[in-house]
Amino acid sequence: MSPLAAPVVSATAPRGLAEVRAEFVDAHGYLAACTAGLPTLGTRSAIMGDLLGRPDPLHYAAVVEASRSHFARLVGVSPDRVAIGAQTSVFAALLAASLPDGAEVLCPDDEFSSLALPFVHAGRGITVRTAPLAELAAAVRPGTAMVAFSLVQSACGSVADADAIVSAARAVGARTFCDVTQAAGWMPVTADRFDAVVCHAYKWLCAPRGVAFLTLGADLAATLRPVHAGWYAGEDPWASCYGVDATLASDARRFDVSPAWQAFVGAEPALRLFAEADAAAIHSYTTGLARRFRERIGQQSAQESAIVSWLDPEGRDLATLTAAGIVASGRNGRARVAFHVFNDASDVDRAARALDS
């Protein structure tokens, strides 16, 4: 067990949709959870309390461990399989550093760069090949060492066929590395489906930016070199602050990156909220709002996603939404709106009316 304070995980019934929604205020017109989530009331209170008090490293350590446990519960693994950090790219670089020389990594076209670029620039003859998301499973071939992909694509909101990708990867002995940053919080996620899962929690999990997690299967973890090891990767971090003789943690904590304390203070209440929430109810609610919006704008989609995007190369629709007081986003030549638990039918109507005008 970690020498840091270990939280007690509650076995209470899931929080209902109304209770989760009550944690958010001033959300009308904010359709940008895919860019950054809104803070919960618990997050606001925790951050203000920390600012008004004095720094307490032991308290921060306990908050980090609680956050680790909340995320573990959210994705269905034990806390000892979760490493903490601050950025997706840092964890991607960890995996890239442990690939054999000359390895091939397969990514979707237009994958988010924080997931792809650490492999592109890993050196040692490592190459990155891309394919359309819908054809990613078919593009896996003998010699592919890893398939790195987002479960939900950032630019367009498309949902990957994870079952097909995992099956194709296993058939050739390739690892799967899945980024759930655009999924966790509105879509149920099971980390055990993949060899590794990364998540930056500042989007749909509504945490402050600078809180990220990596889950690892035991087989993959055994092959990784702790290239970012610092004092927080020690079996006892407080005894690992000096010198070269520190013993690293025996579990996923050996891959921890020293945490941004204040960010975790704000993240812990939000992560607890979503870990305790009824994930199926949130998924049904958010995708229902997105479906209603698609119907209003005449967009057909066979997928259920909380993100709706469409071609907007000159940014005219995004400008229209902005002028109507709606916070949306534009990515890769597309307009993009997101429907989270803090949105409601009035947000659908307001955005649809703006685009109809």
Side-chain angles (χ1 to χ4, degrees):
M1 179 180 292
S2 165
L4 303 177
V8 176
V9 178
S10 170
T12 58
R15 297 196 195 193
L17 191 64
E19 185 178 355
V20 176
R21 284 176 47 78
E23 274 291 312
F24 297 94
V25 296
D26 302 327
H28 291 297
Y30 189 83
L31 299 180
C34 53
T35 300
L38 293 177
T40 67
L41 292 176
T43 291
R44 296 183 185 198
S45 177
I47 290 175
M48 288 303 300
D50 183 67
L51 291 174
L52 294 173
R54 295 181 176 181
D56 182 350
L58 292 179
H59 168 66
Y60 294 146
V63 166
V64 169
E65 292 312 302
S67 297
R68 191 194 311 267
S69 289
H70 298 327
F71 184 77
R73 178 180 178 182
L74 185 75
V75 300
V77 299
S78 56
D80 63 327
R81 290 180 50 192
V82 179
I84 61 98
Q87 303 293 341
T88 298
S89 57
V90 173
F91 283 136
L94 170 69
L95 269 65
S98 298
L99 287 174
D101 293 356
E104 177 188 273
V105 179
L106 177 65
C107 292
D109 293 342
D110 298 320
E111 181 55 81
F112 194 73
S113 60
S114 291
L115 186 68
L117 288 185
F119 297 101
V120 172
H121 296 286
R124 298 183 292 109
I126 292 171
T127 60
V128 175
R129 183 167 56 90
T130 68
L133 181 68
E135 302 170 18
L136 197 65
V140 178
R141 64 191 183 189
T144 300
M146 179 171 286
V147 186
F149 67 102
S150 293
L151 186 57
V152 177
Q153 289 292 298
S154 172
C156 60
S158 295
V159 180
D161 186 346
D163 288 339
I165 294 168
V166 169
S167 179
R170 287 178 177 168
V172 300
R175 303 287 192 181
T176 51
F177 177 34
C178 186
D179 184 344
V180 301
T181 299
Q182 291 287 5
W186 71 266
M187 180 182 187
V189 171
T190 303
D192 265 339
R193 299 169 75 187
F194 315 103
D195 293 295
V197 165
V198 67
C199 181
H200 199 158
Y202 75 104
K203 294 182 183 288
W204 297 87
L205 291 174
C206 300
R209 184 169 167 83
V211 174
F213 300 94
L214 177 72
T215 74
L216 293 167
D219 289 346
L220 179 58
T223 72
L224 300 182
R225 293 184 296 112
V227 294
H228 302 123
W231 71 281
Y232 217 80
E235 185 64 49
D236 179 356
W238 305 109
S240 305
C241 296
Y242 306 101
V244 298
D245 297 324
T247 299
L248 296 187
S250 58
D251 56 18
R253 291 188 301 109
R254 71 191 290 111
F255 306 113
D256 279 2
V257 179
S258 181
W261 284 332
Q262 287 75 18
F264 273 88
V265 166
E268 189 276 328
L271 293 166
R272 177 170 13 104
L273 177 71
F274 284 102
E276 295 176 352
D278 185 334
I282 292 178
H283 179 264
S284 178
Y285 180 79
T286 55
T287 57
L289 292 176
R291 189 185 319 116
R292 176 171 173 175
F293 179 73
R294 289 191 184 93
E295 292 170 354
R296 289 284 300 273
I297 66 173
Q299 183 184 103
Q300 301 296 319
S301 176
Q303 286 190 327
E304 292 281 20
S305 177
I307 301 173
V308 182
S309 73
W310 61 95
L311 290 174
D312 186 30
E314 297 179 359
R316 293 177 180 174
D317 287 346
L318 179 58
T320 296
L321 291 169
T322 302
I326 296 164
V327 181
S329 54
R331 295 291 186 274
N332 204 29
R334 305 179 69 89
R336 186 180 67 163
V337 295
F339 296 93
H340 203 1
V341 67
F342 47 68
N343 297 119
D344 59 25
S346 70
D347 293 311
V348 173
D349 295 338
R350 185 176 178 182
R353 285 198 308 269
L355 294 173
D356 286 341
S357 61

